[in-house]
Amino acid sequence: MSRIAVAGATGTAGAKIAARLTAAGHTVVPVSRSAGVDLHTGEGLKEALAGADAVIDAANAFPSDPAADVVGTVAGATRLLLDTARELGVPRFVLVSICNIENPVFDQNLYYVAKREQEKAVAASGLRTTIVKTTQWHEFATNPAAVVLGDTEVTVGDWLVQPVAADAVADVVAALTVAADAPEVVELSGPETIRLPELTRRLLAARGDARPVRTVPAAVPALAEGAQLAPAAARIVGPTIEEWLRARTK
Ligand SMILES: NC(=O)c1ccc[n+]([C@@H]2O[C@H](COP(=O)([O-])OP(=O)(O)OC[C@H]3O[C@@H](n4cnc5c(N)ncnc54)[C@H](OP(=O)(O)O)[C@@H]3O)[C@@H](O)[C@H]2O)c1
């Protein structure tokens, strides 16, 4: 049984990861502002990480100020976690990241540049680390990064995606965190490709939401052409989109 600090423990993936670890008998220490820990200021962080056997970074510490430095703030949160883990002697660190962010077509995407910086900091940390890179999750169907949920219509960027369920991501992250022999990098994807507006349309229909979905150009044109599909080395994990929708609406 281990003590595991989960950054982003209230988030889409973090909550599922925390639930799995708790069910497996581990003690989860939540790291999020709602738990009194702020990855921008460091408030509460040493107390949260003290005595931990591992830290999972599934946070999304995006700055609330639109004028703020996105790369510095998002990557800075991970660097602060790493520095604190090292200082307190926490040996193990797992980061949740995104497939394909290293593709030069994303050089102007500040969030992806921040994720690259996170990955570099983790790899150089000297801790025993695993980076779990995944394609977009099924839950991305309503993510503000590509979707605007308006009162009368929903607009969705024309991404071609190969989504994976956040539940499947959580299974892998939780298992690898406590594994003795986890690899340094794991890539994960779901089994099917779909255009994001169609995924959103199917999710809204399953929820009985009648708002029409309008496709708008993707912010990065390469996203429409498959720059976010599964890399060749990705592990493919279910459920399918249909199975995921059915499980959500049962
Ligand atoms: N969504 C996808 O399709 C996808 C795909 C691949 C990888 N990822 C990666 O997975 C990670 C998690 O994404 P998600 O969608 O699960 O995030 P999310 O649902 O937006 O949750 C974000 C979490 O971060 C915490 N947080 C935000 N700012 C914080 C701060 N300043 N200090 C401490 N905690 C803070 C939030 O808690 P509080 O609000 O309580 O602070 C929350 O628990 C991200 O790194 C993302 O890049 C996402």
Side-chain angles (χ1 to χ4, degrees):
M1 204 173 86
S2 301
R3 183 177 179 85
I4 300 170
V6 179
T10 53
T12 308
K16 294 173 186 296
I17 295 166
R20 279 152 180 77
L21 291 168
T22 303
H26 303 291
T27 301
V28 168
V29 184
V31 173
S32 72
R33 290 165 300 184
S34 45
V37 188
D38 192 329
L39 291 173
H40 293 152
T41 63
E43 182 193 345
L45 188 56
K46 278 192 185 169
E47 294 83 346
L49 265 54
D53 300 295
V55 175
I56 299 173
D57 184 358
N60 195 4
F62 205 85
S64 48
D65 175 0
D69 166 15
V70 171
V71 177
T73 307
V74 173
T78 296
R79 280 194 287 264
L80 185 59
L81 270 172
L82 286 165
D83 290 345
T84 310
R86 248 189 326 251
E87 185 187 332
L88 297 176
V90 181
R92 174 95 178 105
F93 196 100
V94 177
L95 172 71
V96 181
S97 193
I98 308 174
C99 289
N100 302 315
I101 55 171
E102 51 286 340
N103 186 330
V105 298
F106 297 126
D107 282 357
Q108 306 307 316
N109 180 321
L110 294 181
Y111 187 64
Y112 282 10
V113 172
K115 298 296 293 182
R116 292 177 187 170
E117 293 297 314
Q118 289 183 333
E119 290 187 5
K120 272 190 233 158
V122 168
S125 68
L127 303 178
R128 192 164 71 80
T129 61
T130 297
I131 300 173
V132 181
K133 290 162 74 78
T134 86
T135 54
Q136 280 66 47
W137 307 335
H138 289 135
E139 289 79 357
F140 196 75
T142 53
N143 191 299
V147 180
V148 178
L149 295 165
D151 290 338
T152 56
E153 70 168 4
V154 174
T155 55
V156 184
D158 187 25
W159 297 34
L160 179 61
V161 294
Q162 188 165 346
V164 60
D167 271 313
V169 173
D171 286 340
V172 171
V173 171
L176 287 178
T177 300
V178 295
D181 57 350
E184 287 177 12
V185 179
V186 171
E187 292 182 305
L188 277 188
S189 172
E192 297 165 281
T193 62
I194 187 170
R195 301 206 85 83
L196 186 60
E198 179 58 17
L199 182 62
T200 307
R201 211 171 273 128
R202 284 172 68 177
L203 177 60
L204 295 186
R207 286 177 177 172
D209 184 331
R211 280 176 292 181
V213 171
R214 184 162 59 85
T215 301
V216 297
V220 177
L223 286 168
E225 292 148 21
Q228 265 304 2
L229 297 181
R235 285 191 204 169
I236 307 295
V237 289
T240 64
I241 294 163
E242 189 53 41
E243 287 164 345
W244 178 77
L245 286 170
R246 236 183 288 128
R248 288 179 65 86
T249 51
K250 263 198 294 214

